[in-house]
């Protein structure tokens, strides 16, 4: 009589369910473990604390530009190696490593509609060699500004950059001059330029186009500055105050017009452009 | 005070001085020996200075006895009157500016100014300007524009000052604004890199119709030390960084960024300030003559085209 005999197999520790590594993500702001899809639906802003996670250029384009209206320009431009630069690695190796991740440069640009308003947009990508500005970034911005000038439509640039790309030597420094020069012409022509500063925007990008918006907008807590915090600390030999070089610090010191939550970025820019330039249809 | 590679030069110079001293005290004729030694000295100087390695160029550009902005102002210009302040915060001693005359032509001069000693550097901040320095420079450039006078900028800085106050007052914005406004300044504007032109702090007064560089000056996106610290993870690799960055006047000329190299006295500008200043004066006078002949529209078109053309890329 073995009616009580267990005929089920004992419970066994199963292999872990196959979870892709990116299902959950820890928020850098509050440390909460979050379901990735839920953050994504929230434009990569932590639903708990509002921390803005870093996102790609593509993500900004889909947030800001009306679906199906984006036309990319100059996607065929690639960095050259004018100096034959070799540090611990040759520059071309760094470029191909960055390209292997599916990006071609640290900025994507093109035209599209933002809440119905025709715009030219450039978005930097920190994932490509730290969002550094070399000749391609400078040239793409110059060309984008020319489209703005010729078609008299607003220019928007979303920045995220560690600064100039050292591997291109003096050419990279001169991209600061190049981008600021075309913006001078846009300024004279009365065409709006809105600059959006995201985490982090430092060095030569801060000291050129990204600070030259008719309106400068910054994402919450974004690090924005010219000198890097470590360099400053080493120079002045003292600890930096809390919140130093963050978006809110820049707002306090009058360097940006507004700190804008990513979820309100598109509508904020649209409102500005209507006041400055595009007007209302009603 | 001399650099490592200058030692042999200094030794021969000392021998000549000793001989001349002996001659004057004892009335001996040493002219033959002196002529021979002077020949040797010239040869050694040109041999050394024509073959400097990039890091040696950096050392010459930073030579403690190298003439600074006001040393050139004093020697190559007349009727100098310095003007102060940015009208909103304070006067920045790391950036000087004012009116002067160059061979009869009134010009506005702005430039970074290093201190010669610790006391001077209390106000000069080692030639590292704060935002108010860049704003003062722009104020003076726009004053020149108002009166239709050309502008000369002298670049000599290791960079804008990386400090709390500089960031609070928007060093990035101050430089950016200068770049934009200089590009549309409706008068001729020429820059000369005197010593070191490092990073955005140099470029902040560097958007000009012509970029001149002294023979042993350097111009770079970042200092060799900064570059080495980031890319080689140690500032000790500054020699490699100096080579890789291609920052000498000759490099910049080859890269099409520097328009003209101004020759220095044999042995470097620090050996003969008067001659160095005369050379700078000659070059600026000639370039300003050329630029003054252009209409404002032509001038601006040329400036825009110059900066828009800079870069190296390929099409995939």
């Amino acid at each position: 009589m073995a009616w009580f005999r267990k005929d089920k197999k004992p419970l066994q520790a199963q292999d872990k369910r196959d979870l892709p590594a990116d299902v959950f993500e820890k928020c850098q702001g509050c440390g909460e473990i979050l379901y990735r899809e839920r953050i994504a639906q929230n434009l990569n802003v932590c639903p708990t604390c509002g921390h803005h996670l870093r996102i790609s250029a593509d993500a900004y384009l889909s947030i800001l530009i009306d679906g199906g209206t984006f036309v990319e320009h100059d996607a065929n431009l690639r960095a050259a190696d004018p100096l034959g630069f070799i540090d611990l690695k040759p520059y071309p190796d760094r470029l191909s490593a960055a390209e292997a991740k599916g990006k071609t440069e640290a900025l994507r640009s093109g035209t599209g509609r933002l809440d119905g308003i025709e715009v030219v947009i450039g978005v930097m990508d920190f994932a490509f060699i730290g969002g550094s500005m070399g000749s391609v970034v400078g040239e793409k911005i110059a060309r984008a500004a020319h489209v703005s000038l010729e078609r008299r439509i607003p220019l928007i640039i979303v920045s995220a950059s560690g600064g100039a790309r050292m591997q291109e030597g003096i050419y990279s420094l001169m991209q600061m001059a190049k981008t600021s020069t075309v913006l001078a012409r846009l300024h004279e022509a009365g065409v709006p330029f809105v600059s959006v500063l995201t985490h982090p925007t430092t060095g030569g990008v801060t000291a050129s186009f990204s600070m030259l918006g008719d309106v400068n907008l910054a994402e919450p807590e974004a690090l924005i500055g010219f000198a890097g915090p470590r360099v400053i600390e080493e120079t002045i030999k003292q600890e930096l105050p809390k919140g130093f070089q963050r978006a809110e610090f820049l707002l306090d010191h009058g360097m940006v017009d507004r700190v804008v939550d990513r979820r309100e970025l598109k509508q904020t820019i649209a409102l500005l452009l209507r006041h400055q330039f595009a007007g209302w249809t009603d | 005070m001399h650099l490592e590679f200058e030692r042999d030069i200094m030794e021969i110079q000392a021998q000549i001085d000793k001989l001349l001293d002996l001659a004057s005290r004892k009335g001996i004729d040493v002219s033959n020996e002196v002529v021979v030694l002077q020949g040797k000295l010239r040869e050694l100087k040109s041999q050394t200075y024509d073959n400097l390695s990039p890091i040696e160029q950096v050392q010459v550009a930073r030579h403690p006895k190298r003439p600074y902005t006001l040393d050139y102002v004093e020697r190559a210009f007349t009727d100098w009157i310095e003007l102060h302040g940015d009208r909103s915060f304070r006067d920045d001693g790391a950036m000087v500016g004012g009116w002067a005359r160059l061979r009869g032509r009134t010009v506005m001069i702005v430039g970074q100014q290093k201190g010669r000693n610790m006391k001077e550097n209390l106000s000069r901040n080692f030639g590292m300007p704060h935002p108010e320095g860049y704003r003062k420079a722009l104020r003076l450039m726009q004053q020149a524009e108002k009166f239709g006078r050309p502008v000369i900028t002298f670049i000599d800085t290791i960079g804008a000052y990386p400090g709390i106050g500089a960031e609070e007052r928007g060093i990035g914005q101050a430089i950016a604004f200068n770049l934009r406004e200089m590009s549309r300044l409706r008068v001729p504007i020429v820059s000369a890199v005197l010593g070191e032109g490092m990073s955005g702090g140099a470029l902040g007064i560097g958007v000009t119709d012509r970029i001149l560089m002294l023979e042993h000056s350097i111009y770079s996106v970042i200092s060799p030390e900064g570059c080495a610290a980031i890319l080689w993870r140690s500032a000790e690799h500054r020699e490699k960084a100096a080579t890789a960055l291609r920052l000498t006047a000759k490099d910049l000329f080859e890269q099409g960024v520097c328009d003209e190299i101004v020759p220095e006295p044999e042995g470097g500008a620090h050996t003969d300030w008067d001659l160095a200043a005369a050379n700078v004066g000659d070059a600026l006078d000639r370039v300003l003559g050329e630029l003054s002949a252009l209409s404002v529209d032509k001038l601006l078109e040329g400036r825009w085209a110059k900066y828009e053309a800079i870069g190296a890329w390929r099409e995939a």
Side-chain angles (χ1 to χ4, degrees), chain A residues 142-275:
Chain A
R143 291 190 191 185
H146 275 287
V147 175
S148 271
L149 258 179
E150 278 147 29
R151 292 177 53 187
R152 293 193 61 80
I153 54 177
L155 175 67
I156 297 160
I157 299 178
V158 180
S159 298
S161 174
R165 192 172 296 166
M166 286 171 280
Q167 291 89 346
E168 292 186 24
I170 199 70
Y171 291 122
S172 65
L173 182 71
M174 290 296 157
Q175 301 312 305
M176 294 169 62
K178 178 169 173 169
T179 54
S180 304
T181 297
V182 290
L183 288 176
R185 299 170 71 180
L186 215 59
H187 180 68
E188 289 185 350
V191 179
F193 168 46
V194 175
S195 174
V196 180
L197 299 106
T198 73
H199 181 74
T201 299
T202 58
V205 169
T206 302
S208 62
F209 62 86
S210 81
M211 274 291 161
L212 292 175
D214 294 304
V215 176
N216 297 331
L217 305 175
E219 283 197 343
E221 293 170 54
L223 179 81
I224 302 161
F226 179 55
R230 225 185 33 196
V231 174
I232 299 174
E233 241 164 10
E234 279 168 19
T235 306
I236 63 173
K237 311 262 186 268
Q238 65 185 72
E239 221 176 289
L240 297 171
K242 202 172 177 304
F244 180 67
Q245 292 183 316
R246 296 287 166 177
E248 297 73 14
F249 172 93
L250 272 89
L251 183 69
D252 281 350
H253 286 91
M255 294 303 146
V256 298
D257 290 272
R258 297 183 74 84
V259 175
V260 182
D261 190 297
R262 188 180 290 156
R263 291 162 292 188
E264 289 156 17
L265 191 55
K266 182 174 182 174
Q267 290 318 312
T268 304
I269 297 173
L271 178 61
L272 287 167
L273 293 181
R274 290 208 157 85
H275 279 302

Side-chain angles (χ1 to χ4, degrees), chain A residues 76-80 82-83 85-88 94 99 135-136 139 143 146 164 166-178 180-185 187-188 206-208 211-212 224-227 231-232 235-236 238-241 244-245 249 253 255, chain B residues 135 160-164 167-173 175-177 179-181 183-184 197-201 203 206-207 211 219-222 226-227 229-233 241 244-246 252 254-257 303-304 307-316:
Chain A
N76 62 333
L77 296 190
R78 297 286 184 283
L83 275 56
F85 197 98
I86 301 175
D87 48 88
L88 295 177
R94 288 188 190 274
E99 279 172 25
S135 301
V136 172
E139 178 66 12
R143 291 190 191 185
H146 275 287
M166 286 171 280
Q167 291 89 346
E168 292 186 24
I170 199 70
Y171 291 122
S172 65
L173 182 71
M174 290 296 157
Q175 301 312 305
M176 294 169 62
K178 178 169 173 169
S180 304
T181 297
V182 290
L183 288 176
R185 299 170 71 180
H187 180 68
E188 289 185 350
T206 302
S208 62
M211 274 291 161
L212 292 175
I224 302 161
F226 179 55
V231 174
I232 299 174
T235 306
I236 63 173
Q238 65 185 72
E239 221 176 289
L240 297 171
F244 180 67
Q245 292 183 316
F249 172 93
H253 286 91
M255 294 303 146
Chain B
R135 291 177 183 134
Y161 185 66
I164 292 178
E167 295 289 329
E168 283 176 337
R169 298 193 291 280
I171 185 67
Q173 187 275 342
I175 292 172
F177 196 65
L179 303 183
R180 191 182 86 178
E181 295 306 307
S183 80
R184 64 196 198 104
M198 293 289 125
S199 180
L203 188 63
V207 179
I211 302 172
Y219 202 171
S220 176
V221 62
I222 186 169
C227 178
I230 298 169
L231 293 181
W232 279 267
R233 297 190 189 113
L245 284 166
R246 305 221 23 223
L252 275 274
E254 282 167 13
Q255 292 170 91
V257 173
R303 200 181 301 157
W304 293 336
Y307 285 96
E308 289 203 17
I310 298 179
W313 63 86
R314 59 195 174 83
E315 297 191 4

Side-chain angles (χ1 to χ4, degrees), chain B residues 33-178:
Chain B
E33 288 88 336
V34 168
V35 167
V36 171
L37 280 175
Q38 277 173 338
K40 225 168 121 182
L41 183 68
R42 261 197 307 277
E43 199 180 313
L44 190 64
K45 268 188 181 175
S46 71
Q47 222 176 55
T48 307
Y49 274 83
D50 291 348
N51 297 295
L52 293 177
S53 72
I55 196 68
E56 287 169 342
Q57 292 278 17
V58 173
Q59 289 171 322
V60 176
R62 293 175 180 168
H63 198 291
K65 287 194 172 163
R66 200 170 168 83
Y68 299 148
T69 295
L70 289 176
D71 302 317
Y72 286 95
V73 170
E74 196 179 299
R75 284 165 182 77
F77 297 82
T78 57
D79 302 289
W80 163 247
I81 176 163
E82 188 173 354
L83 302 171
H84 294 274
D86 71 336
R87 296 295 186 272
S88 53
F89 188 68
R90 62 157 197 155
D91 186 45
D92 189 343
M95 186 82 79
V96 295
W99 292 111
R101 283 209 303 161
L102 175 65
R103 310 194 184 162
R105 180 189 276 119
T106 282
V107 295
M108 177 64 80
I109 298 173
V110 300
Q112 287 114 358
Q113 178 66 36
K114 293 180 174 179
R116 199 58 69 187
N117 50 48
M118 276 316 280
K119 193 173 157 240
E120 276 181 32
N121 272 321
L122 283 179
S123 64
R124 301 295 183 201
N125 197 33
F126 304 88
M128 293 186 281
H130 281 73
E132 47 274 22
Y134 294 95
R135 291 177 183 134
K136 163 173 149 184
L138 183 62
R139 180 178 78 83
L140 297 180
M141 291 189 261
Q142 288 175 335
Q143 186 174 143
E145 181 183 45
K146 173 175 175 178
F147 299 110
R149 306 294 195 190
V151 176
I152 293 169
T153 77
F154 287 128
I155 294 173
D156 191 14
T157 183
I158 192 154
Y161 185 66
I164 292 178
E167 295 289 329
E168 283 176 337
R169 298 193 291 280
I171 185 67
Q173 187 275 342
I175 292 172
F177 196 65
N178 276 22

